[in-house]
Amino acid sequence: MNSFTSINDKPLLDVKNLSCHFDVSKPWLNRVIEGEPQRFLTAVDQVSFSINRGETFALVGESGSGKSTIAKLIVDLIHPSSGEILFDGQSLKNTRGEAFKTLRRRIQMIFQDPFASLNPRWRVGDIIAEPIHAFGLAKSQNDVRRTVEELLDKVGLAGRDRHKYPHEFSGGQRQRIAIARALSAQPDFLVCDEPTSALDVSVQAQILNLMRDLQDEFGLTYLFISHDLSVVKHMADRIGVLYLGSMVENSPSDQLFIQPAHPYTRMLLDAIPDHEMSGRRRKQVTGEIPSPIDPPSGCTFHPRCEFADEKCKQKRPSIHEDQGSLVSCWASEEKRIPTTPKDSQ
Amino acid sequence: MTEPLLSVRDLVVEFPKRKIKLTALDKVSFDIYPGEILGMVGESGAGKSLTGAAIIGLLEPPGHVASGEIWLKDQRIDQLPYEQMRRLRGKRIAMIFQDPLTSLNPILTIADQLIETIQTHLPLNDKDARARAVQLLDEVGIPAASKRIDDYPHQFSGGMRQRVVIALALAGEPELIIADEPTTALDVSVQAQIIDVLKRMCHEHKTAVMLVTHDMGVIAEACDRVAVMYAGRVAEIGEVRQIVKRPQHPYTQGLMGSIPSIVERVERLTQIPGSMPRLDAIPSGCAFNPRCTQKIARCTQDRPELITTDQGQVSCWLYDGETP
Amino acid sequence: MTDTTSLSAPPTDASIWRRIVDSDLFYDFSRRPIIILSALLTLVIILAAAFAPWIAPHTPFDPSSLNLMDGFTPPMEPNAFTGNVYWMGTDSQGRDIFSAILYGARISLLVGFAAVAFAAILGITLGLIAGYKGGLVDTIIMRIADVQLSFPAILVALLIFGITKSLIPNEMQEQAAIYVLILSIGLSDWVQYARTVRSSTLAEKNKEYVQAARLFGVSSFRILARHILPNVMGPVLVIGTIGLALAIILESTLSFLGVGVPATQPSLGTLIRVGNEFLFSGEWWITLFPGITLLILALSVNLLGDWLRDALNPRLR
């Protein structure tokens, strides 16, 4: 099996052939009576990538692409069906005791919905202090208080805000609190699952800028998950494009937008509204994402792909390298896609 | 210049609370001309959806129109009795909501719902109404429309459902469609298709659209003119190109700068400090003044009205005294 | 920033009283005269019961203070032999009905509160476990609940009462009776709590704040106790209030049937049963006044519970 591997030989996070299936069968009795087989949904299908220290790697995809499942797999909220996740050379699966606790502490997550990610009954100070207590990172109550206040200051809130409850804050401010909580575990890797998609654009800009600043200050590595390509372009060094649980392309950010290699990436770029009215040349987008329970054979994108042929319908594409991009597409490998330089830039 | 189709003048919507009255819309004025797509853009809580609800008479109590006028051609519609307003809805003004699942009845087929709507508004017999329904579905891009018309909503994908909703809205041949975040629940690749359908259909049917959205991309793709809302007031109205390329109001300038660019990469996004005030704490003078980087003394005292400039209308004192 | 931390402001929120008065719940409350009346009546009965030894003019169950000559005195009339006047009259033993009601309400409320607390603790615990763990544990707990729910509560209570009593030695029956009653009413009513808490737990456990806590390696017990429990207590409060009314009625029913508290410690239900024997011989007051008290208490608590349910339900606002 070919895999997406980084050029750098010591990545911070190394994901190898990660797969995750969910059992979506009807209850056992119904299956027996109706004579139906068990059904599985392949949420993540043999995904491999690696992220270097200090880098921002983005996963983009539409609904059902498996991007949020990958986030949960990496932070160990759910367990993979197969494949391996190595963090700093260690696997969460095979680590126990103190070492496991340390690994847990080093990987933290920022969630999508700032209204659901903070316990409404807790004061902000207690919310931010939870990881400090859980990982034993402070010697005294005074220590805890000082750390909480410093963190609030770092994310642009006031130290005395620790006495308030989440409902007293706006969405953007809540996301700042969630970031402060993640940072209080002193992580070096942050999984950000659509951190700004619940926020208004002007607030989104504040949060994205803050995340950049914090990355520089703490030397953080980000896995940034989003459906919004313009946000991803702003944040990421490398981008992985997901379609129905498979990674179809993994390219450096700049290259992906200038020379998308996979036909799906091209389609995604064509679908982004031109909010700047730059007159970007775009093609009409057609079709919708098929159900992940019963995905198309071969390359799952073939029903919507203008370059698909018989081979695409039957055989799952392997991964090949093309000018720094890792692409999973027969048409691209066989050079059947005409290179149209994006002259509109 | 043609007569406006819809004219909103100094619309004030209030929500009485226990001790105070919250002014959710404060002297909102704008026009929609026949056949045009007017975008209503703003952040959550700016009052854009509320404006749509006020026009179509579906404000949630205790919210009510406290003052101002809404004219549909030469008929004043903000004080119509319930029964007359109900007849107006669907026939002259139709509505498209964010979630297509909630606007379709899950236990009726698409045919049932479309034909019922058509016959409510047009004098057609069953056969003609059905033919009209198939034609509408075909126009909004549903493949094999004559077969799929007998399917139930759950048999359609999200994007197809929203197409059906557009067909439903057009069934009564309304003069105005209010579309409230019609693409927000959809994936990007589907969103682009729905915008196309909406644009094409309204152009073909000569229907005016008020497109409510928070997404500047959708505005830029679909609209002819844009009204930018802030804290229940109109900050700026103008041609879409002017708003996107040369915004006048400092808020619009900040808003446009805060959207990450797909074309070029910048190190830092422009950010507007702070957040939009809550309805119970709107500052005096210009509502934007505490966050404004260009404010002058007057901004904290007097509230700016819409000033007509050579690029459109803007409610900002910086443009006071400019010759229109 | 670090230098100023020691100067950081004290808690900014107003006093608890201020927050209650400002809350929407209190506002809604203040505009409903019937609910205010219910709350006042409930409060008066609870206080009167609690301070019965100080308020009651007589100690009704101290045989030395009873005078048989006082028996069957009608309300507000001087006794033919002794000339004593009793507000609500006396019973066959010459007991003051008003005092008996105060002491009886004490027993009724004690059993009611204790049974609700027992049912709530049991139901909440099982509901939390079933909702959070899911799978086989969930199936077992909820199937037991379903089976129990298909029997009327009174039948379950009678059954548990019978079984428990047969297990207790004869000489202890008298003292243990009240605890057996609490146990049987509590056990017959836990299902409601378990079902409600389970469904709230199912919703809460998938929220991101719970996932965040799991990322910090917080134990399941701590997540349930510190994160989920406070967020599922709203509906429990409502069921608890309505449950209190039901428990008081169930206790009275059991006592009326003669299987509840012993006659030496009569509850409202026992008083009604005792009085019932004299109803047709003209001594109506012996059963009527305890009956009215029970009615007012149960109705008030029930109205409070209903109001609380509607006021806390955002969809009805």
Side-chain angles (χ1 to χ4, degrees):
Chain A
M1 183 71 209
N2 216 333
S3 73
F4 287 110
T5 43
S6 168
I7 304 104
N8 192 311
D9 52 355
K10 274 200 79 181
L12 182 63
L13 183 86
D14 201 359
V15 173
K16 290 177 184 162
N17 288 326
L18 193 66
S19 293
C20 184
H21 314 292
F22 293 119
D23 188 347
V24 291
S25 326
K26 289 181 180 169
W28 173 79
L29 198 61
N30 293 40
R31 279 206 315 273
V32 172
I33 294 169
E34 292 161 31
E36 275 184 32
Q38 257 186 301
R39 287 152 73 89
F40 290 97
L41 183 155
T42 305
V44 178
D45 194 8
Q46 303 198 349
V47 167
S48 303
F49 60 92
S50 60
I51 308 177
N52 293 327
R53 220 172 278 274
E55 197 182 60
T56 301
F57 183 83
L59 286 174
V60 286
E62 299 178 272
S63 56
S65 64
K67 52 191 192 306
S68 287
T69 310
I70 294 180
K72 286 187 183 145
L73 286 167
I74 288 172
V75 298
D76 200 36
L77 276 176
I78 50 177
H79 302 296
S81 309
S82 67
E84 203 176 17
I85 301 166
L86 292 177
F87 183 79
D88 214 359
Q90 295 162 281
S91 158
L92 269 166
K93 200 166 54 183
N94 305 328
T95 319
R96 295 281 175 276
E98 269 314 295
F100 179 77
K101 209 171 157 185
T102 308
L103 270 190
R104 268 236 129 119
R105 179 182 66 68
R106 293 177 62 193
I107 308 174
Q108 287 303 323
M109 182 159 174
I110 300 169
F111 296 90
Q112 173 174 0
D113 183 357
F115 290 84
S117 66
L118 308 177
N119 189 335
R121 310 256 162 188
W122 282 31
R123 285 176 199 273
V124 165
D126 297 328
I127 291 174
I128 297 175
E130 192 179 23
I132 303 177
H133 292 301
F135 295 117
L137 295 174
K139 287 180 201 78
S140 66
Q141 278 304 316
N142 244 351
D143 240 16
V144 174
R145 206 201 62 212
R146 204 170 48 243
T147 316
V148 167
E149 287 183 347
E150 275 172 20
L151 282 166
L152 279 168
D153 185 50
K154 285 256 186 298
V155 298
L157 295 169
R160 63 178 179 281
D161 286 337
R162 70 191 169 92
H163 300 293
K164 295 185 184 164
Y165 286 94
H167 70 87
E168 297 174 62
F169 295 90
S170 68
Q173 288 171 319
R174 287 188 204 209
Q175 202 57 302
R176 288 173 193 266
I177 295 167
I179 292 173
R181 173 178 60 185
L183 290 179
S184 75
Q186 303 172 9
D188 33 22
F189 183 69
L190 273 187
V191 176
C192 318
D193 187 6
E194 304 254 17
T196 61
S197 62
L199 306 175
D200 283 315
V201 271
S202 73
V203 180
Q204 164 174 287
Q206 295 172 4
I207 298 296
L208 293 180
N209 284 341
L210 174 68
M211 287 179 65
R212 277 267 185 103
D213 295 343
L214 294 172
Q215 182 167 36
D216 293 344
E217 187 174 346
F218 295 100
L220 296 167
T221 307
Y222 287 149
L223 172 64
F224 193 95
I225 290 168
S226 179
H227 68 279
D228 186 336
L229 273 165
S230 51
V231 169
V232 161
K233 177 176 169 110
H234 179 71
M235 293 299 285
D237 301 304
R238 272 188 92 84
I239 298 174
V241 181
L242 292 165
Y243 186 75
L244 277 180
S246 314
M247 189 173 284
V248 295
E249 176 168 358
N250 174 344
S251 299
S253 178
D254 297 330
Q255 190 178 332
L256 185 105
F257 286 89
I258 296 165
Q259 217 171 45
H262 196 280
Y264 176 63
T265 315
R266 294 179 170 214
M267 173 186 269
L268 267 187
L269 290 178
D270 283 338
I272 312 172
D274 183 10
H275 79 264
E276 295 149 290
M277 304 191 86
S278 59
R280 228 161 10 102
R281 192 198 290 167
R282 290 154 60 192
K283 219 184 305 180
Q284 182 89 33
V285 175
T286 52
E288 287 184 45
I289 308 163
S291 157
I293 296 178
D294 194 12
S297 62
C299 169
T300 48
F301 188 62
H302 84 253
R304 298 173 74 184
C305 182
E306 57 178 314
F307 306 108
D309 64 7
E310 270 313 304
K311 189 176 182 184
C312 301
K313 284 178 195 165
Q314 280 149 18
K315 218 168 151 215
R316 199 192 143 95
S318 60
I319 292 154
H320 72 279
E321 193 171 336
D322 178 19
Q323 304 165 42
S325 298
L326 297 157
V327 192
S328 160
C329 172
W330 290 125
S332 162
E333 190 167 357
E334 292 161 7
K335 307 264 180 257
R336 283 192 272 121
I337 302 177
T339 44
T340 45
K342 285 234 153 187
D343 54 353
S344 58
Q345 307 280 318
Chain B
M1 199 158 174
T2 48
E3 283 292 299
L5 169 72
L6 183 89
S7 207
V8 176
R9 285 288 162 271
D10 291 330
L11 181 68
V12 177
V13 168
E14 285 176 351
F15 282 81
K17 285 270 162 157
R18 278 152 53 183
K19 287 169 195 152
I20 36 161
K21 250 187 279 171
L22 295 181
T23 309
L25 290 184
D26 196 354
K27 293 197 179 173
V28 169
S29 300
F30 62 92
D31 294 321
I32 300 178
Y33 294 93
E36 80 165 343
I37 301 185
L38 176 81
M40 271 273 165
V41 73
E43 299 181 88
S44 44
K48 51 192 193 307
S49 290
L50 213 56
T51 311
I55 292 171
I56 202 161
L58 289 176
L59 280 174
E60 257 183 55
H64 62 275
V65 174
S67 66
E69 297 171 8
I70 304 170
W71 291 82
L72 185 64
K73 285 204 175 134
D74 37 20
Q75 185 184 13
R76 190 169 169 189
I77 60 168
D78 55 306
Q79 291 176 330
L80 283 185
Y82 179 81
E83 195 47 36
Q84 282 189 41
M85 195 64 210
R86 194 185 62 78
R87 253 175 288 157
L88 196 95
R89 261 181 241 140
K91 175 67 200 133
R92 297 188 66 192
I93 306 179
M95 186 101 196
I96 297 174
F97 294 97
Q98 175 174 339
D99 183 0
L101 261 189
T102 55
S103 28
L104 294 172
N105 187 337
I107 58 161
L108 295 179
T109 64
I110 300 302
D112 293 338
Q113 305 184 44
L114 258 177
I115 292 170
E116 190 198 340
T117 312
I118 291 170
Q119 289 184 328
T120 311
H121 302 297
L122 304 173
L124 292 178
N125 63 27
D126 286 0
K127 192 160 159 272
D128 292 345
R130 192 184 163 87
R132 172 97 188 103
V134 172
Q135 187 198 339
L136 273 172
L137 287 182
D138 196 46
E139 282 181 51
V140 294
I142 295 199
S146 55
K147 241 188 255 154
R148 299 229 53 192
I149 191 168
D150 291 312
D151 283 352
Y152 289 90
H154 69 88
Q155 291 167 294
F156 288 82
S157 65
M160 286 298 156
R161 265 184 226 135
Q162 198 61 301
R163 288 171 195 258
V164 172
V165 172
I166 294 176
L168 260 175
L170 285 164
E173 294 177 355
E175 294 153 77
L176 175 67
I177 291 179
I178 297 173
D180 191 355
E181 305 270 6
T183 60
T184 306
L186 304 171
D187 278 318
V188 264
S189 68
V190 183
Q191 170 178 315
Q193 302 171 38
I194 297 300
I195 295 174
D196 278 346
V197 171
L198 192 65
K199 252 170 89 174
R200 184 168 50 77
M201 292 300 284
C202 294
H203 186 72
E204 284 169 12
H205 290 253
K206 307 262 182 297
T207 312
V209 179
M210 180 175 140
L211 180 60
V212 176
T213 179
H214 67 279
D215 189 336
M216 220 42 222
V218 173
I219 293 280
E221 288 287 305
C223 298
D224 303 308
R225 288 193 311 129
V226 190
V228 181
M229 302 273 299
Y230 184 80
R233 305 168 183 189
V234 176
E236 181 169 2
I237 305 180
E239 296 288 320
V240 65
R241 219 177 167 76
Q242 294 290 3
I243 300 278
V244 169
K245 295 279 191 192
R246 288 167 58 203
Q248 298 190 89
H249 197 288
Y251 172 64
T252 324
Q253 290 168 2
L255 192 66
M256 294 307 301
S258 63
I259 310 172
S261 168
I262 202 81
V263 182
E264 55 189 332
R265 185 167 178 155
V266 290
E267 261 322 294
R268 285 183 76 79
L269 299 166
T270 316
Q271 65 179 56
I272 312 174
S275 52
M276 199 162 68
R278 293 186 186 201
L279 286 180
D280 55 2
I282 292 179
S284 63
C286 172
F288 186 62
N289 85 66
R291 303 173 70 190
C292 186
T293 49
Q294 306 168 46
K295 81 170 161 195
I296 51 179
R298 204 174 167 187
C299 301
T300 53
Q301 288 143 21
D302 305 330
R303 180 182 159 185
E305 298 290 325
L306 278 174
I307 298 162
T308 306
T309 69
D310 51 356
Q311 290 182 32
Q313 291 173 292
V314 58
S315 69
C316 176
W317 288 124
L318 294 175
Y319 299 89
D320 189 34
E322 273 191 19
T323 43
Chain C
M1 181 66 202
T2 43
D3 291 341
T4 60
T5 46
S6 53
L7 299 171
S8 76
T12 49
D13 40 351
S15 71
I16 293 201
W17 177 243
R18 188 79 239 147
R19 270 168 48 199
I20 292 174
V21 171
D22 278 343
S23 70
D24 289 342
L25 202 63
F26 186 81
Y27 177 72
D28 195 59
F29 178 76
S30 67
R31 297 187 349 154
R32 292 172 190 270
I34 291 184
I35 300 305
I36 296 176
L37 184 68
S38 300
L40 278 178
L41 284 172
T42 311
L43 198 68
V44 165
I45 295 176
I46 289 176
L47 286 179
F51 295 105
W54 291 274
I55 299 170
H58 302 265
T59 315
F61 304 107
D62 177 9
S64 64
S65 75
L66 293 180
N67 184 353
L68 273 178
M69 300 296 277
D70 273 335
F72 296 127
T73 313
M76 301 307 284
E77 275 176 40
N79 182 278
F81 308 102
T82 61
N84 291 336
V85 179
Y86 299 92
W87 282 28
M88 298 184 182
T90 60
D91 68 0
S92 58
Q93 311 281 309
R95 272 191 209 112
D96 175 29
I97 296 289
F98 177 63
S99 304
I101 287 175
L102 290 184
Y103 279 86
R106 220 175 173 192
I107 305 281
S108 287
L109 281 166
L110 176 77
V111 172
F113 274 114
V116 164
F118 179 67
I121 291 170
L122 183 69
I124 292 168
T125 311
L126 290 175
L128 281 173
I129 294 172
Y132 193 70
K133 290 287 171 201
L136 193 64
V137 182
D138 181 27
T139 311
I140 292 172
I141 293 176
M142 293 329 284
R143 285 306 84 82
I144 293 174
D146 286 347
V147 169
Q148 183 171 335
L149 207 61
S150 60
F151 294 99
I154 185 139
L155 208 63
V156 177
L158 275 173
L159 186 73
I160 298 167
F161 194 84
I163 294 173
T164 325
K165 268 213 141 173
S166 68
L167 296 176
I168 297 175
N170 255 338
E171 61 274 19
M172 288 176 66
Q173 291 231 337
E174 192 97 318
Q175 312 156 359
I178 250 187
Y179 302 102
V180 173
L181 193 61
I182 292 169
L183 180 80
S184 44
I185 295 176
L187 276 178
S188 72
D189 197 33
W190 65 275
V191 175
Q192 282 248 33
Y193 300 90
R195 286 169 74 112
T196 311
V197 168
R198 174 181 173 267
S199 65
S200 308
T201 305
L202 282 178
E204 292 296 322
K205 82 168 176 184
N206 286 321
K207 287 204 181 152
E208 291 168 344
Y209 72 86
V210 175
Q211 297 185 357
R214 285 175 59 196
L215 285 190
F216 311 140
V218 179
S219 68
S220 296
F221 176 76
R222 228 183 117 78
I223 288 180
L224 281 172
R226 298 270 284 127
H227 280 288
I228 296 183
L229 183 63
N231 283 296
V232 300
M233 282 307 279
V236 169
L237 188 68
V238 174
I239 307 175
T241 316
I242 297 174
L244 177 63
L246 291 177
I248 291 171
I249 293 173
L250 188 57
E251 180 275 326
S252 300
T253 315
L254 290 173
S255 295
F256 184 82
L257 294 175
V259 293
V261 287
T264 50
Q265 286 175 298
S267 69
L268 290 176
T270 323
L271 291 176
I272 297 170
R273 171 172 59 99
V274 173
N276 204 32
E277 294 166 18
F278 304 105
L279 189 59
F280 293 107
S281 54
E283 286 85 16
W284 48 269
W285 58 88
I286 303 178
T287 194
L288 183 73
F289 291 113
I292 289 176
T293 313
L294 177 67
L295 180 76
I296 292 175
L297 178 63
L299 191 64
S300 302
V301 175
N302 213 340
L303 281 171
L304 273 179
D306 272 353
W307 163 75
L308 210 55
R309 182 186 58 208
D310 294 349
L312 291 177
N313 185 347
R315 270 173 306 176
L316 287 176
R317 306 215 79 189

